[in-house]
Amino acid sequence: MKRKKLYSALALGMAITLMAGVPVSAAPSPGAGSADFPVVGPIEEGKTEDGQDIKTGTDEAGNVVYTEVTADGEIGASAIEDIKNNAVKAENEAEQAVLDKALAGKVTLDDSVKEEVKVDAEKFEETATEETKAELRKDSQAQFEAVKKEEIKADKNVTITVTPVAAAAQSVAKAAAEAMAGTLGLNIKTTETTDGKTEANIEFAASMDISIPQEELDAAGGSVQVTIPMATEKPDPSRYVYYVLHYHSTRGWETLPAQVTADGIVVATFDSFSPVFVVKAEKAAVETPVQEDNGGSDDYDKSTDYGLLDKEAAEAEDAAKAAASASLAKTGAAPTVTGVPAAPSNPAVSPKTGE
């Protein structure tokens, strides 16, 4: 079966000890895994909790680097509808608009940026040191482990194969994600690096290289909804914007139509396959405007008073002022209250007569 893949496969290495109690195929699986993450030994076979067939392969260290799920479209379709009902919501309309834009999908980088990222990827194999490649493979493995492969579902009857993202793709993904944040118009927090450059605060919550046999994709009507359940990430839309970055062989880097749920499941629609990254971009803090006059009304958001983002701090300062006023009315003195200075004395006024 021909698969849409960005990277070629590599022949298998030595056999390794298998976990007891797990059904396995009798023979090794040549070609399983990817060039950067080859499978060593036979492919283990089993069932997921919801009855789907699953196969897994590991590397020499025992890390899972290959998972194949035979998706039951009937199970997936009903489950996905329930999953989507739990999609994360932003705290206000403006933030929701940003979230919707990020997850609307099919946004691509402009031609100049797309070409720059492509050239960088092509140069990678020639210029990257073995140490750099090893570090990038480590990143890909960690992001791959952040996905619960055994819980992957699809809304069509297809075979989904996932492996960690190759080092070459990992090497340019951060630059692509940062460029995409700019294309989307997202206000992302930045940090100054030690060499004086500015870097966007962007991480990958998860990633994987995904493929489906071309004939199965065609039979499914050209697109499939796939769940990407994250193992540890619990989305925080108040602090981060999430979007799904995907590499297409002709369109280049693009966003996918997706939804992110409150319990960390991404549902994305694919019409082609290859590396996919769940991007977690930290939003820049937005300064809240100072409210000069509330018109004598107490019906206002205290987080805007004094220009503070911390509502509790603003209310605590109000309470301190109120306590000071009460004390002054009762004793005629103006004691010092935390955050409220004592009333200054006037040396021209007699403390006895007031004159």
Side-chain angles (χ1 to χ4, degrees):
M1 292 187 293
K2 183 179 179 182
R3 295 178 183 272
K4 285 190 174 181
K5 295 286 289 180
L6 186 62
Y7 303 101
S8 61
L10 187 69
L12 292 173
M14 300 169 58
I16 60 171
T17 303
L18 300 174
M19 294 175 61
V22 180
V24 298
S25 56
S29 301
S34 68
D36 279 351
F37 299 92
V39 172
V40 177
I43 297 293
E44 301 177 3
E45 299 179 354
K47 292 280 188 181
T48 65
E49 286 189 1
D50 52 15
Q52 298 183 129
D53 291 330
I54 187 170
K55 299 178 181 180
T56 58
T58 57
D59 62 12
E60 289 182 342
N63 300 311
V64 174
V65 292
Y66 176 91
T67 300
E68 180 184 301
V69 176
T70 304
D72 184 318
E74 186 174 343
I75 291 174
S78 59
I80 286 171
E81 286 308 307
D82 291 338
I83 290 169
K84 289 165 67 175
N85 289 334
N86 195 30
V88 295
K89 299 295 182 183
E91 295 183 327
N92 54 58
E93 290 184 7
E95 291 289 350
Q96 187 63 43
V98 171
L99 185 64
D100 291 342
K101 181 177 181 180
L103 296 175
K106 294 305 176 188
V107 177
T108 58
L109 300 178
D110 63 57
D111 289 340
S112 62
V113 177
K114 180 171 72 173
E115 184 63 24
E116 181 181 346
V117 174
K118 180 181 178 182
V119 169
D120 287 343
E122 291 173 346
K123 290 180 178 178
F124 174 76
E125 289 297 339
E126 299 176 3
T127 60
T129 65
E130 288 303 316
E131 184 180 2
T132 296
K133 292 178 182 179
E135 191 64 30
L136 290 168
R137 287 194 292 267
K138 182 179 178 181
D139 291 342
S140 288
Q141 183 67 49
Q143 293 161 20
F144 187 65
E145 289 172 357
V147 179
K148 295 180 180 179
K149 278 77 71 178
E150 70 281 1
E151 295 182 14
I152 288 176
K153 296 178 178 64
D155 64 347
K156 308 286 176 59
N157 294 328
V158 292
T159 305
I160 303 171
T161 300
V162 291
T163 60
V165 171
Q170 185 73 243
S171 70
V172 295
K174 185 75 177 290
E178 186 169 345
M180 184 59 72
T183 299
L184 290 168
L186 305 179
N187 187 22
I188 303 303
K189 185 176 180 180
T190 58
T191 301
E192 187 172 330
T193 60
T194 53
D195 56 2
K197 295 180 181 179
T198 300
E199 186 177 77
N201 288 21
I202 287 175
E203 304 173 37
F204 296 127
S207 72
M208 59 184 181
D209 199 346
I210 181 170
S211 70
I212 288 178
Q214 184 61 51
E215 57 268 33
E216 293 186 12
L217 183 61
D218 292 341
S223 67
V224 179
Q225 277 193 325
V226 178
T227 65
I228 305 173
M230 291 181 285
T232 56
E233 185 70 19
K234 298 299 181 185
D236 180 4
S238 66
R239 184 177 177 186
Y240 300 98
V241 174
Y242 297 83
Y243 55 97
V244 181
L245 189 67
H246 169 252
Y247 183 82
H248 187 277
S249 57
T250 57
R251 296 192 295 260
W253 291 94
E254 63 182 0
T255 59
L256 291 180
Q259 285 182 291
V260 181
T261 70
D263 49 1
I265 300 176
V266 178
V267 180
T269 300
F270 292 86
D271 64 4
S272 71
F273 298 87
S274 279
V276 57
F277 294 81
V278 179
V279 184
K280 174 183 176 181
E282 186 174 5
K283 296 185 293 188
V286 179
E287 291 187 9
T288 310
V290 177
Q291 184 168 330
E292 297 293 343
D293 184 6
N294 67 352
S297 169
D298 288 332
D299 297 330
Y300 69 99
D301 183 356
K302 289 184 181 295
S303 65
T304 63
D305 202 12
Y306 324 113
L308 296 174
L309 290 177
D310 189 341
K311 184 176 179 179
E312 292 183 359
E315 290 178 339
E317 189 161 352
D318 279 353
K321 288 181 178 180
S325 297
S327 177
L328 178 62
K330 183 176 180 180
T331 66
T336 300
V337 180
T338 303
V340 182
S345 61
N346 186 342
V349 177
S350 169
K352 293 184 178 179
T353 64
E355 297 178 353

